Amino acid sequence: MSRPTDVVAVDLGGTTIKAARFDAQGVAEETLRLATPSSEGPEAVVAAVVRAAADLVSPSTAAVGLCAPGLIDAAAGVVRFAANLGLRETPLAAAVADRVRLPVTLEHDVRAACLAEQRLGLGGDVRDLLVVVLGTGVAAGIVCNGQLVGGAQGFAGEFGHIPVHAGGEPCTCGQHGCVEAYASGGALVRRYRRTGGIANNAADVAARRDTDPEAARLWAEGADALGRALVTTTVLLDPQRIVLAGGMAAAGDALAEPVRHTLQNGLAWRSAPAVDISPLGADAGLLGAALRAAEAAGARVFLRSTC
Amino acid sequence: MSRPTDVVAVDLGGTTIKAARFDAQGVAEETLRLATPSSEGPEAVVAAVVRAAADLVSPSTAAVGLCAPGLIDAAAGVVRFAANLGLRETPLAAAVADRVRLPVTLEHDVRAACLAEQRLGLGGDVRDLLVVVLGTGVAAGIVCNGQLVGGAQGFAGEFGHIPVHAGGEPCTCGQHGCVEAYASGGALVRRYRRTGGIANNAADVAARRDTDPEAARLWAEGADALGRALVTTTVLLDPQRIVLAGGMAAAGDALAEPVRHTLQNGLAWRSAPAVDISPLGADAGLLGAALRAAEAAGARVFLRSTC
């Protein structure tokens, strides 16, 4: 039997399942992407995750790390509830372990991304860190005193539902004026289409900022809402560093600059923490899941910094 | 030499210095109150704290615990900055230790109150707790994963400066619409006087709720602002329990009921954490300082639960 030297990670997303086998240096040896079969029911989703993991496991794989959105019970390896995936009380880690016969971990996707940022990205040695993942929705990974914050029920980090405008835009959560109703990719596209604009995704809106005043206005309102929610988070938690991650972060300084401006304006009495774009890109969740798997493999596999 | 069996605590406040010697059961054997001589300069303030501690130390005192507002470096025992007290880079713990020749601890007053709530009040065994101290200003003690959250620069817990109304009431911090500009005792009195009402303190405004519609309106706006800031804190941190403490909490259900209402209304998609009035009253900070002193005294003194 060969010595375990790699881990497999699977990031179960609302639209895509991403998986990779990482060697001990954190380099992806093999990757796999497939559409999440959400419309075929929860059994199909679980089967797709099991297949993705099994396809990548090699004779030298030490452990498998999974991550998923929703309400995650990491200790039990169970997805308690994930609306977009139709999962409820789903023992996802056990389903994969039954097939691959290896230790299998499960982590919340945003907390996995935060873990990756802390260990492999910009968060190195930072004991108080905020990682905001801006995608279809908006959520945050919070590190206080060097530890990921899960909250009493595992609901911590619902940054997207910080109210920033009393009685403002309706949000998918049922409230009004949440930061997610302005700053998420989904909101940006919805609001742009409402002005008569044509966009498939947030990148389309971002690309039209210089030529379409409506695109410029909506982008600015999104960045402003994000900055306001960061003011709130900063007064509460005093993070040393704020990292912007997820698909929207691909906009780089076009996002970070106006966010920094709103944040510093809202903190008259203190300096603002640094705001940076994640260097890990959309793979942060996958890397975090791999880190959890490496932990489960004990001292046999380490993932090294990729930055 | 007698065996150490008690601790002395001193709570340095903006208007009052409170001190007490607590026996091992947490019962105050002797107490002392004096006006804080803020107008006489920082040396006078430090001298008053030293005198209060020295007056209460007995031959069986094991350690002294101090707490103070502002930016506190607990590890160094230094008040880095406390605007209301005129202190800057003040080695308060060392000043007291030089006189009493005992171990001396220093903690942030709101974090001390939070610690007392966790150990002696309603927070027992709660790993994710929020204690909001409502006095002249508003601040919060935050416990995540069982640990007090200090933040990168010791600025965490500035709950009073969560913005709840964009472009709202001016706040002493230089911003507009902070929760403190509506829900603090200071704001309530200021706003009530502006309507032509006469009030010396927040209790006067609270007492007129049933007879003066303006008092009722301002009280409701304060509770609503507090509830809104708690929505934000809950989505970020998912506390198991929220405790309202400080002078304003003496209003009991007249405060807690409307706050619970706003909080649950703002959390359409999840249940709200429990909101309760602190049983420790205005002495929570003092008790927390005593707990820190008991820790410093090692296994020789324990403070037991008082609830």
Side-chain angles (χ1 to χ4, degrees):
Chain A
M1 191 182 156
S2 58
R3 209 163 55 86
T5 53
D6 63 62
V7 293
V8 166
V10 184
D11 179 353
L12 169 56
T15 46
T16 309
I17 294 172
K18 294 186 287 189
R21 188 175 63 248
F22 292 98
D23 70 14
Q25 275 66 49
V27 176
E29 297 176 321
E30 194 178 338
T31 64
L32 189 153
R33 286 175 78 98
L34 60 153
T36 307
S38 311
S39 59
E40 297 166 35
E43 291 78 12
V45 171
V46 173
V49 171
V50 170
R51 202 168 54 244
D55 280 0
L56 289 180
V57 163
S58 81
S60 58
T61 299
V64 175
L66 314 174
C67 70
L71 179 54
I72 302 298
D73 185 336
V78 171
V79 180
R80 294 278 173 225
F81 182 58
N84 293 338
L85 297 166
L87 302 184
R88 187 183 287 272
E89 300 298 335
T90 306
L92 194 64
V96 173
D98 278 353
R99 173 76 166 273
V100 303
R101 301 285 161 192
L102 289 171
V104 178
T105 60
L106 174 65
E107 185 53 275
H108 186 269
D109 56 357
V110 169
R111 288 201 276 277
C114 184
L115 184 73
E117 206 60 60
Q118 193 188 15
R119 302 269 181 85
L120 308 173
L122 290 174
D125 296 328
V126 173
R127 289 178 55 78
D128 296 277
L129 175 70
L130 184 77
V131 178
V132 182
V133 181
L134 299 136
T136 311
V138 178
I142 299 169
V143 175
C144 290
N145 295 316
Q147 289 190 313
L148 273 169
V149 173
Q153 301 178 72
F155 283 141
E158 288 291 352
F159 180 93
H161 301 293
I162 292 178
V164 291
H165 294 297
E169 286 276 321
C171 181
T172 51
C173 76
Q175 302 297 321
H176 285 75
C178 298
V179 58
E180 185 167 305
Y182 300 88
S184 68
L188 210 60
V189 169
R190 257 192 325 274
R191 299 185 79 205
Y192 187 60
R193 286 180 182 161
R194 229 192 288 154
T195 70
I198 295 165
N200 286 318
N201 50 46
D204 290 348
V205 184
R208 283 168 208 162
R209 288 193 322 278
D210 292 336
T211 53
D212 181 348
E214 287 297 300
R217 177 179 65 85
L218 294 173
W219 185 267
E221 287 181 8
D224 181 69
L226 179 54
R228 285 170 187 266
L230 290 176
V231 168
T232 295
T233 312
T234 299
V235 300
L236 264 182
L237 298 176
D238 182 24
Q240 185 176 340
R241 177 162 233 168
I242 294 167
V243 177
L244 305 181
M248 297 274 291
D253 274 348
L255 179 68
E257 286 289 347
V259 166
R260 285 183 196 121
H261 181 77
T262 302
L263 177 59
Q264 186 56 73
N265 265 5
L267 295 170
W269 49 281
R270 55 159 292 174
S271 61
V275 176
D276 292 294
I277 298 289
S278 165
L280 300 179
D283 284 341
L286 198 62
L287 282 164
L291 284 165
R292 282 281 185 245
E295 285 172 3
R300 296 175 300 164
V301 177
F302 293 98
L303 290 188
R304 281 207 230 138
S305 172
T306 58
C307 295
Chain B
M1 190 182 156
S2 58
R3 210 164 53 86
T5 53
D6 64 62
V7 294
V8 165
V10 183
D11 179 353
L12 168 57
T15 45
T16 308
I17 295 173
K18 294 186 288 190
R21 187 176 64 246
F22 292 99
D23 69 15
Q25 275 67 49
V27 176
E29 297 176 320
E30 194 178 339
T31 64
L32 188 154
R33 286 177 79 98
L34 60 153
T36 307
S38 311
S39 59
E40 298 166 34
E43 291 78 12
V45 171
V46 173
V49 170
V50 170
R51 202 167 52 242
D55 281 358
L56 290 180
V57 163
S58 80
S60 58
T61 299
V64 175
L66 314 175
C67 70
L71 180 53
I72 302 298
D73 185 336
V78 172
V79 180
R80 295 278 173 225
F81 182 59
N84 293 337
L85 297 166
L87 303 184
R88 188 182 286 273
E89 301 298 336
T90 306
L92 194 64
V96 173
D98 278 353
R99 173 76 166 273
V100 303
R101 302 286 160 190
L102 289 170
V104 178
T105 60
L106 174 65
E107 184 54 273
H108 185 270
D109 57 357
V110 170
R111 288 201 276 277
C114 184
L115 183 74
E117 207 61 60
Q118 194 188 15
R119 303 269 181 87
L120 308 173
L122 290 174
D125 296 329
V126 174
R127 289 178 56 77
D128 296 277
L129 175 70
L130 184 77
V131 178
V132 182
V133 181
L134 299 137
T136 310
V138 177
I142 300 167
V143 175
C144 289
N145 294 317
Q147 289 190 313
L148 274 169
V149 173
Q153 301 178 72
F155 283 141
E158 287 290 351
F159 180 94
H161 301 294
I162 292 179
V164 291
H165 293 297
E169 286 277 322
C171 181
T172 52
C173 76
Q175 301 298 319
H176 286 76
C178 298
V179 57
E180 184 168 306
Y182 299 88
S184 68
L188 211 60
V189 169
R190 256 192 326 274
R191 299 186 81 206
Y192 187 60
R193 287 180 182 161
R194 228 192 289 153
T195 70
I198 296 166
N200 286 316
N201 50 47
D204 290 347
V205 183
R208 281 168 210 162
R209 288 193 323 278
D210 292 337
T211 53
D212 182 348
E214 286 297 300
R217 176 179 65 85
L218 293 174
W219 185 267
E221 286 181 10
D224 181 70
L226 179 54
R228 286 171 187 266
L230 290 175
V231 168
T232 295
T233 311
T234 299
V235 301
L236 264 181
L237 298 176
D238 182 24
Q240 185 176 339
R241 178 161 232 169
I242 294 168
V243 177
L244 306 181
M248 298 273 292
D253 273 349
L255 180 69
E257 285 290 346
V259 167
R260 286 184 196 118
H261 180 78
T262 302
L263 177 59
Q264 187 56 72
N265 264 6
L267 295 169
W269 49 282
R270 56 159 291 174
S271 61
V275 176
D276 292 294
I277 297 288
S278 164
L280 300 180
D283 285 340
L286 199 61
L287 282 164
L291 285 165
R292 282 282 185 245
E295 286 172 2
R300 297 176 299 163
V301 178
F302 292 98
L303 291 187
R304 281 206 231 139
S305 171
T306 58
C307 295

